[in-house]
Amino acid sequence: EAGVAQSPRYKIIEKRQSVAFWCNPISGHATLYWYQQILGQGPKLLIQFQNNGVVDDSQLPKDRFSAERLKGVDSTLKIQPAKLEDSAVYLCASSPRHQETQYFGPGTRLLVL
Amino acid sequence: KQEVTQIPAALSVPEGENLVLNCSFTDSAIYNLQWFRQDPGKGLTSLLLIQSSQREQTSGRLNASLDKSSGRSTLYIAASQPGDSATYLCAVDLGGGATNKLIFGTGTLLAVQP
């Protein structure tokens, strides 16, 4: 069974630029999550999708972050414009249904200069 | 507001030792608690999931316990090996309706010396 795929693996941008991350969850998994992990901290949930609907985006900085999950499969997370404090690893995870074990991708490491 | 704390932040042990990692949380109203492993440059791997009604879970050399009333969980690793070196994270699932928000601790960085 293929795992959660993410791309790119690394990205370096300058502040005020925009960036997008892509996630392909495990086939058949209805629930998809995006987390932000700042160096030295645990991951923090940004947004949770159930199929293609948002069920929790309470911690997503909506003035600069946006996410979508078209057709209930792949998802993209966008930052526009980026700030220095957005430097982090962005992790995507999926689960068959909510409240079940989450499977994580390798993450995208973002550095904002 | 739920807060999750892990102690110690880092731990170094010689190969073969048994060890305990600690996790504490401030609000006992949790749906479940999970322990994850994170290797450098990689995502998280779920190790054990304990439902709120359970006291412990075991997988191989790993045993996790949960005491909701005191807001504590421990991860016991028996006969540690160099391959166990990684960051270990605990997370509580707040449950509740359609969402399952995981609140993570800051992790314990484990180094097992050969």
Side-chain angles (χ1 to χ4, degrees), chain A residues 13-65:
Chain A
I13 62 173
E14 295 187 349
K15 60 183 179 183
R16 291 188 289 273
Q17 286 186 323
S18 63
V19 65
F21 313 128
W22 173 81
C23 173
N24 180 239
I26 294 173
S27 178
H29 281 195
T31 311
L32 185 146
Y33 314 80
W34 283 102
Y35 290 86
Q36 179 193 58
Q37 186 175 23
I38 294 172
L39 187 64
Q41 298 181 18
K44 181 183 79 172
L45 179 69
L46 293 176
I47 189 168
Q48 176 184 345
F49 292 94
Q50 183 72 18
N51 296 307
N52 61 348
V54 176
V55 294
D56 188 345
D57 62 357
S58 58
Q59 298 191 100
L60 186 73
K62 298 180 185 63
D63 57 332
R64 298 184 299 106
F65 286 64

Side-chain angles (χ1 to χ4, degrees), chain A residues 38-98:
Chain A
I38 294 172
L39 187 64
Q41 298 181 18
K44 181 183 79 172
L45 179 69
L46 293 176
I47 189 168
Q48 176 184 345
F49 292 94
Q50 183 72 18
N51 296 307
N52 61 348
V54 176
V55 294
D56 188 345
D57 62 357
S58 58
Q59 298 191 100
L60 186 73
K62 298 180 185 63
D63 57 332
R64 298 184 299 106
F65 286 64
S66 64
E68 61 182 4
R69 188 182 186 197
L70 298 176
K71 300 181 181 179
V73 183
D74 293 3
S75 177
T76 56
L77 176 70
K78 298 179 181 178
I79 308 175
Q80 181 178 12
K83 292 185 175 181
L84 297 177
E85 58 261 36
D86 298 332
S87 295
V89 176
Y90 291 84
L91 296 164
C92 179
S94 69
S95 64
R97 287 163 291 279
H98 76 282

